[in-house]
Amino acid sequence: MSSKLEALNRWVAEVAALTEPDRVHWCDGSESENDALIERMVAAGDLIELNSKTHPNCYLHRSHPSDVARVEHLTFVCTSEPDDAGPNNNWMDPAQAHAKIDALFAGCMRGRTLYVIPYCMGPIDSPLARCGVELTDSAYVVANMRLMTRMGAAALARIEREGTFVRGLHSTGELDPHKRYIMHFPEELSIKSIGSGYGGNALLGKKCHALRIASWQARSEGWLAEHMLILGVQNPKGEIFYVAAAFPSACGKTNLAMLIPPESYRDAGWKIWTIGDDICWMTPGADGRLWAINPEAGYFGVAPGTSAKTNANALAMLNHDAIFTNVAVTADDAPWWEGLSDAKPARDWQGRDYSAASGPAAHPNSRFTVSARQCPSWSPRAEDAQGVPISAIIFGGRREHLVPLVFEARDWTHGVLVGASMGSETTAAATGAVGVLRRDSMAMKPFCGYNFADYFAHWLGIERPGAKLPKIFHVNWFRKGDDGKFLWPGFGDNMRVLEWIVGRCCGSEDAVETPIGLLPHVEDLNLTGLSVPASRLDALLHIDTEGWIAEYESIGEYLASFGARLPARLREEHRRVSSLLAADNPEPVTAGSP
Ligand code: GTP
Ligand code: SPV
Ligand code: MN
């Protein structure tokens, strides 16, 4: 097979000449194609069939133990000018990068099949959607791309019509961490990834295309490509407010996107609708509002911690037609992970007999892949070609200390500063140390395909005459008390914070001004049915002025690291909040004091 688009045929031929596969397979996305692929993977041991009674059409994949997460240190943005990639990215000269990675691609598909995967990010008929083609030698990638994107014949037809597409070349190579690179060429709208078969390293439609390349395109075309979930909050009057939220990897997007409100809320008629759990593309509409689509068609979600108590919607969609990666299994071949249930794991994520001595049964970054439509709270608006209008943007991270449960930015400029200043303790979603506080602006540190200084300027520039922009908030579900335990119950109870946020958007909720932004009074939060002592609620909303002064000093140093390219407006906004904090300090530190 081939396509009607000569440019595509030529590229596939070039890649085949370089990588020397035994055969080339053009994916049509059909069920029969998927069935055949799964059958072959099961025969080869790449997939393990799970219990077909409790989990029909569910499979387990065990990735190489050295290939279990994104690799930020091996991820590059290759622009002609190093400053266009910025201090937030690893940079390599494009010609040098091509030479280095092409040497690894040479002959790497001998004995393998080269799969051609045409895919569409976003509803297939949406003007906001964009297409790509991934060439890969991994059948596991094909099966995942089929769930995560609109993949196959319809996407190919659109690509042939439009004539343009993002080019992604992927090979698992030798799965050798020393021969692993994830390279982006935004000026050429292309991606080359070798040496990993895992998640965002290998499913190129996701972080590589829909965030790194798309963020670059979005800047030049006047829209935003963000690491955000999208949900709809339906109130008892039946009105639905759409909210987008950016939290870093493994900080709660999937869980918030599928939230089940507490009983008292459900009884009153509240409901949460899920549009997306990881990526949001937002475009200013003719009415001045931001209109958002979820470019993905499935979820690649964190398994550990997912339970009937924390995320019943996720659990409900995982009992059929799902792929599990690096989870444990029980004696009767059901998937298992820490936090799921009291059942006992029989084999761990590496297939070894489970022993508590060899660490967690499921890898901390083990994941499930499943079609979005299987989610009980899936919103049909996820297929709306125009997207949904966004009323509020929420930033948030994992902060054990200092950062209150919720606050609201004064205006768009302040909101951009709040997003740019985000900090979060690192998680297992990327290789490296876990629990280390780092700046992760807009949760895009690993995903922005260009200089953060220019990205902040682009965000500020979204505010134009006539714009009706969403209000911006910051949340922290992860503040801990002196006992080292989370102060806030989180999960379904986050609804209480969402209600305040939506209320602020329509002017029905009160707030108190502080130097860092607007906070609810404890009594502004609906706490019906919640048994959290008043002292803990006070702690959750407490502002430690001295701690915030230190935080703003550290934010100032971070912003200064972007040099002269940092927008002056952001620097001024930082100065404005810093002086409010200084004025608020009950015991200002005077020079020369002991
Ligand atoms: P990526 O897919 O990596 O982008 O992650 P994500 O942002 O979608 O995170 P996810 O919702 O999968 O949550 C990651 C981990 O945080 C899981 O183990 C959750 O159980 C836990 N988590 C999510 N929400 C909350 C919360 O409100 N409180 C607490 N304490 N933990 C939470
Ligand atoms: C993340 O790390 O933010 C993810 C998982 O969503 S991955 O697709 O591996 O990037
Ligand atoms: Mn993510």
Side-chain angles (χ1 to χ4, degrees):
M1 203 192 124
S2 64
S3 91
K4 290 182 205 135
L5 191 63
E6 263 324 300
L8 175 55
N9 296 335
R10 219 176 310 125
W11 176 54
V12 172
E14 276 164 24
V15 166
L18 174 67
T19 58
E20 302 177 40
D22 279 11
R23 60 199 89 73
V24 177
H25 175 97
W26 290 69
C27 299
D28 62 12
S30 65
E31 200 143 334
S32 56
E33 176 183 80
N34 188 56
D35 291 347
L37 272 176
I38 300 257
E39 202 177 310
R40 225 174 300 150
M41 281 189 278
V42 169
D46 288 339
L47 284 185
I48 296 162
E49 191 175 359
L50 294 169
N51 189 318
S52 61
K53 290 212 176 66
T54 57
H55 293 77
N57 298 318
C58 287
Y59 298 89
L60 167 65
H61 174 74
R62 295 193 182 115
S63 71
H64 191 277
S66 71
D67 182 30
V68 292
R70 282 184 296 100
V71 282
E72 296 180 6
H73 60 297
L74 302 175
T75 299
F76 290 81
V77 170
C78 310
T79 47
S80 318
E81 292 298 324
D83 276 355
D84 287 342
N88 46 302
N89 281 302
N90 301 312
W91 177 83
M92 209 184 286
D93 171 71
Q96 211 182 327
H98 279 301
K100 198 177 180 83
I101 203 163
D102 284 353
L104 297 173
F105 274 115
C108 73
M109 296 190 190
R110 273 177 219 151
R112 303 182 186 179
T113 300
L114 167 57
Y115 298 96
V116 180
I117 312 174
Y119 63 87
C120 178
M121 301 308 292
I124 194 86
D125 57 347
S126 170
L128 307 179
R130 300 296 162 102
C131 293
V133 177
E134 176 166 358
L135 308 185
T136 180
D137 55 11
S138 163
Y140 167 80
V141 165
V142 178
N144 276 271
M145 286 290 283
R146 182 167 177 270
L147 295 170
M148 295 302 298
T149 72
R150 283 91 171 163
M151 179 271 256
L156 182 60
R158 178 165 171 166
I159 290 166
E160 289 172 339
R161 210 167 52 241
E162 293 181 337
T164 55
F165 58 95
V166 169
R167 292 160 195 237
L169 170 56
H170 168 256
S171 170
T172 51
E174 298 171 31
L175 293 178
D176 176 352
H178 301 289
K179 296 179 183 170
R180 180 176 296 160
Y181 292 101
I182 323 295
M183 289 174 169
H184 304 75
F185 304 89
E187 290 153 350
E188 304 165 20
L189 303 185
S190 80
I191 304 152
K192 288 183 176 177
S193 162
I194 193 160
S196 167
Y198 199 83
N201 302 333
L203 313 177
L204 301 188
K206 197 172 175 60
K207 307 301 188 179
C208 300
H209 177 165
L211 288 177
R212 298 194 191 97
I213 298 290
S215 62
W216 175 282
Q217 292 181 291
R219 179 176 55 138
S220 64
E221 298 168 9
W223 50 285
L224 293 165
E226 299 299 327
H227 190 203
M228 293 179 177
L229 68 91
I230 310 166
L231 60 77
V233 182
Q234 182 171 329
N235 68 19
K237 284 190 258 176
E239 300 162 322
I240 304 180
F241 297 88
Y242 292 95
V243 174
F247 308 156
S249 303
C251 290
K253 290 183 299 301
T254 301
N255 278 269
L256 189 64
M258 294 170 197
L259 181 149
I260 297 177
E263 199 177 347
S264 61
Y265 275 84
R266 292 196 309 261
D267 290 349
W270 292 86
K271 177 172 170 58
I272 297 293
W273 295 97
T274 309
I275 305 266
D277 82 327
D278 199 51
I279 302 181
C280 165
W281 287 355
M282 283 184 285
T283 309
D287 62 356
R289 292 191 289 178
L290 289 181
W291 289 78
I293 60 163
N294 170 16
E296 301 190 281
Y299 312 116
F300 182 64
V302 176
T306 306
S307 72
K309 243 178 110 185
T310 57
N311 191 349
N313 277 332
L315 219 56
M317 66 185 180
L318 294 178
N319 53 21
H320 68 100
D321 298 280
I323 300 173
F324 296 87
T325 304
N326 294 342
V327 301
V329 287
T330 62
D332 57 353
D333 291 324
W336 192 88
W337 48 80
E338 275 68 19
L340 171 64
S341 66
D342 293 334
K344 293 266 172 299
R347 267 153 290 137
D348 72 7
W349 64 278
Q350 298 187 62
R352 304 173 298 195
D353 286 343
Y354 172 68
S355 144
S358 36
H363 188 277
N365 191 39
S366 56
R367 296 203 172 231
F368 52 78
T369 321
V370 65
S371 162
R373 286 168 182 267
Q374 284 185 205
C375 182
S377 56
W378 181 77
S379 164
R381 291 290 299 271
E383 286 294 338
D384 193 320
Q386 304 308 317
V388 294
I390 298 296
S391 299
I393 288 175
I394 307 178
F395 294 119
R398 276 181 193 263
R399 294 296 298 260
E400 278 195 29
H401 307 292
L402 190 71
V403 181
L405 180 63
V406 59
F407 64 93
E408 177 189 329
R410 265 177 211 83
D411 54 22
W412 186 258
T413 304
H414 182 223
V416 173
L417 175 68
V418 168
S421 310
M422 265 171 69
S424 192
E425 287 128 20
T426 52
T427 66
T431 53
V434 168
V436 182
L437 180 65
R438 72 163 179 180
R439 295 286 154 208
D440 190 348
S441 300
M442 282 83 171
M444 285 287 277
K445 165 72 187 71
F447 308 122
C448 183
Y450 62 101
N451 192 322
F452 256 165
D454 302 341
Y455 173 76
F456 303 149
H458 180 51
W459 262 85
L460 291 170
I462 292 292
E463 187 176 39
R464 286 204 194 88
K468 294 195 190 69
L469 295 176
K471 276 181 177 283
I472 297 180
F473 298 82
H474 190 286
V475 301
N476 177 25
W477 315 139
F478 299 97
R479 196 169 186 170
K480 288 182 175 171
D482 296 334
D483 58 1
K485 294 202 176 120
F486 291 123
L487 287 165
W488 180 247
F491 302 104
D493 286 309
N494 295 334
M495 182 67 221
R496 304 174 191 280
V497 175
L498 284 179
E499 183 188 5
W500 183 75
I501 286 174
V502 165
R504 289 294 298 166
C505 294
C506 44
S508 65
E509 291 282 358
D510 205 10
V512 56
E513 280 224 49
T514 79
I516 66 156
L518 300 137
L519 268 76
H521 308 91
V522 172
E523 54 280 13
D524 294 328
L525 294 174
N526 176 348
L527 301 171
T528 312
L530 187 74
S531 55
V532 170
S535 62
R536 250 162 76 191
L537 292 167
D538 288 340
L540 277 161
L541 296 173
H542 176 68
I543 301 288
D544 162 15
T545 305
E546 273 189 46
W548 274 101
I549 287 172
E551 176 77 1
Y552 262 77
E553 276 169 13
S554 131
I555 292 167
E557 284 165 25
Y558 169 68
L559 294 177
S561 73
F562 294 98
R565 219 149 150 152
L566 187 81
R569 249 171 79 200
L570 208 58
R571 211 173 302 134
E572 281 153 24
E573 185 64 10
H574 174 264
R575 216 172 295 138
R576 187 185 68 76
V577 178
S578 299
S579 47
L580 283 177
L581 279 164
D584 215 43
N585 193 2
E587 293 163 53
V589 186
T590 46
S593 63

